[in-house]
Amino acid sequence: MAMREDAAITTIFRMRMYTFGLWVAFGMLLAVVMLALLLKKKKAGTAALQSVLTISLGLVFSRFLYGITDDTIGQSSPLWVLVRLNLGGYSLYGALGGAILAAWLTAKLSKQRFIDCLDPVAPAFLLFVICERLGEGTLGEVLEGFGWSRELIYSELPGTVFSITDGNAWYLATWRMEALIAAVLFVLVLRWSLKKQNSRPPFICFMLLYGSTQIIMESLRHDLHMTLISFVRVEQILSMVLLGVAVIILAVGKWHTHRTLALAGLISIPLVTAIAVGIEFMIDRTAINRYLLYLCFIAVVAIPVVLGFRLLKEERA
């Protein structure tokens, strides 16, 4: 297979491979190991079955979601492009969707509880995300601006570990920030996964935390990856969906016992979504200080997260 010589390439045992692909493969290996460790006390064969299904379905869904939503070529990718994996183009949320489906199929085929197969997906997926994000740093020469923010207009940030320059201006290296956030979330979710008396279900907590943080990070990114209609980013929408579904699940569960809190959680989702869209408009279309706008953005997104954890606390009380 002919390789792009302008891409970052690593040679191991005389085999040439894309450096980004090597990072992804390493992340996949770590994810499988994590699944195996967390599922070792389940029925024999559970870890192997779920690992195979996760890799297969994660790849298919990742490629498919990217193909039908990315608009960088002016249209959705045709089928012949989707099956040519070497052409690139993947979605982390597609991979997550494949992993969730793999957990459901594993539970059905092995006659176990879905949640028992789903919870280990959270720390495994976050390990994969850490490696994938670090790998994104090798794509800059091929996909100029991939993972970069808008041009920084304040003098305090350039020159830090989270910034990058093209020689003319400075930008946030958002992939480094996303890798750090994923690492912090991994530690938290793994800690909850290993507790015998689990007061915080790992996957629900993952949905609340990963969804909320990724809403902000997708706003910071200013590349064209999976972008529709100017500034509408598919993965930012899916981040809001992930957060919203978690709050809805918790609110429905406590509707009869803590209706006021549950109602507040349900109302917060459309309200926060509307405010978030408004802030997105303001970031590019007003002269308001971006620090102030993003502080407001973070505070607004934190509302359903706090309500979600309050509902979770009441559920476990």
Side-chain angles (χ1 to χ4, degrees), residues 33-44:
V33 171
M34 179 56 58
L35 277 178
L37 291 174
L38 294 177
L39 292 170
K40 65 180 180 179
K41 293 184 179 181
K42 305 300 179 185
K43 288 184 179 180

Side-chain angles (χ1 to χ4, degrees), residues 134-210:
L134 292 175
E136 286 183 16
T138 69
L139 297 176
E141 295 182 8
V142 183
L143 305 172
E144 186 176 351
F146 187 80
W148 296 11
S149 71
R150 300 164 181 81
E151 180 181 339
L152 295 177
I153 57 177
Y154 305 115
S155 60
E156 293 86 352
L157 291 173
T160 68
V161 68
F162 294 116
S163 60
I164 192 169
T165 182
D166 60 1
N168 299 311
W170 285 89
Y171 309 84
L172 281 178
T174 59
W175 75 86
R176 292 175 184 162
M177 301 173 70
E178 289 170 305
L180 178 60
I181 290 171
V184 173
L185 296 187
F186 167 74
V187 172
L188 291 173
V189 173
L190 181 61
R191 181 182 176 186
W192 296 327
S193 298
L194 295 177
K195 281 189 174 181
K196 292 182 179 180
Q197 298 297 327
N198 197 353
S199 61
R200 291 175 176 169
F203 199 82
I204 287 291
C205 292
F206 159 78
M207 293 173 71
L208 291 170
L209 295 173
Y210 184 75

Side-chain angles (χ1 to χ4, degrees), residues 19-301:
T19 306
F20 174 72
L22 185 61
W23 273 106
V24 170
F26 183 60
M28 191 178 300
L29 175 62
L30 291 180
V32 169
V33 171
M34 179 56 58
L35 277 178
L37 291 174
L38 294 177
L39 292 170
K40 65 180 180 179
K41 293 184 179 181
K42 305 300 179 185
K43 288 184 179 180
T46 299
L49 174 61
Q50 187 163 335
S51 295
V52 171
L53 289 174
T54 297
I55 293 173
S56 304
L57 295 175
L59 175 62
V60 171
F61 276 69
S62 176
R63 184 68 170 153
F64 179 74
L65 182 60
Y66 170 84
I68 64 173
T69 58
D70 188 80
D71 199 31
T72 54
I73 62 174
Q75 62 182 19
S76 299
S77 301
L79 182 61
W80 69 268
V81 171
L82 290 180
V83 298
R84 293 189 60 182
L85 302 180
N86 61 303
L87 296 180
Y90 299 92
S91 163
L92 270 176
Y93 271 108
L96 177 60
I100 294 171
L101 179 57
W104 181 80
L105 287 173
T106 301
K108 284 292 183 182
L109 292 172
S110 61
K111 297 181 179 179
Q112 300 181 74
R113 293 195 311 163
F114 174 42
I115 193 64
D116 290 337
C117 294
L118 182 63
D119 278 343
V121 170
F125 178 75
L126 286 168
L127 272 181
F128 176 75
V129 170
I130 294 169
C131 295
E132 191 280 335
R133 294 302 188 195
L134 292 175
E136 286 183 16
T138 69
L139 297 176
E141 295 182 8
V142 183
L143 305 172
E144 186 176 351
F146 187 80
W148 296 11
S149 71
R150 300 164 181 81
E151 180 181 339
L152 295 177
I153 57 177
Y154 305 115
S155 60
E156 293 86 352
L157 291 173
T160 68
V161 68
F162 294 116
S163 60
I164 192 169
T165 182
D166 60 1
N168 299 311
W170 285 89
Y171 309 84
L172 281 178
T174 59
W175 75 86
R176 292 175 184 162
M177 301 173 70
E178 289 170 305
L180 178 60
I181 290 171
V184 173
L185 296 187
F186 167 74
V187 172
L188 291 173
V189 173
L190 181 61
R191 181 182 176 186
W192 296 327
S193 298
L194 295 177
K195 281 189 174 181
K196 292 182 179 180
Q197 298 297 327
N198 197 353
S199 61
R200 291 175 176 169
F203 199 82
I204 287 291
C205 292
F206 159 78
M207 293 173 71
L208 291 170
L209 295 173
Y210 184 75
S212 58
T213 54
Q214 203 57 34
I215 289 171
I216 305 299
M217 296 312 302
E218 288 294 336
S219 175
L220 287 173
R221 294 175 74 103
H222 204 52
D223 52 41
L224 295 177
H225 182 69
M226 296 180 69
T227 300
L228 296 173
I229 315 173
S230 181
F231 72 95
V232 180
R233 300 182 64 86
V234 174
E235 297 209 321
Q236 187 177 34
I237 295 172
L238 293 176
S239 297
M240 192 69 223
V241 170
L242 189 69
L243 171 61
V245 169
V247 174
I248 291 170
I249 290 173
L250 293 170
V252 170
K254 301 307 295 180
W255 183 253
H256 295 294
T257 55
H258 294 83
R259 182 161 299 184
T260 301
L261 187 58
L263 185 60
L266 293 175
I267 293 174
S268 72
I269 299 304
L271 183 61
V272 167
T273 301
I275 296 174
V277 171
I279 293 176
E280 284 287 356
F281 272 106
M282 294 171 69
I283 289 171
D284 284 322
R285 292 168 175 80
T286 69
I288 299 175
N289 186 291
R290 287 181 185 168
Y291 283 144
L292 178 60
L293 287 175
Y294 273 106
L295 282 174
C296 293
F297 205 167
I298 292 170
V300 167
V301 172

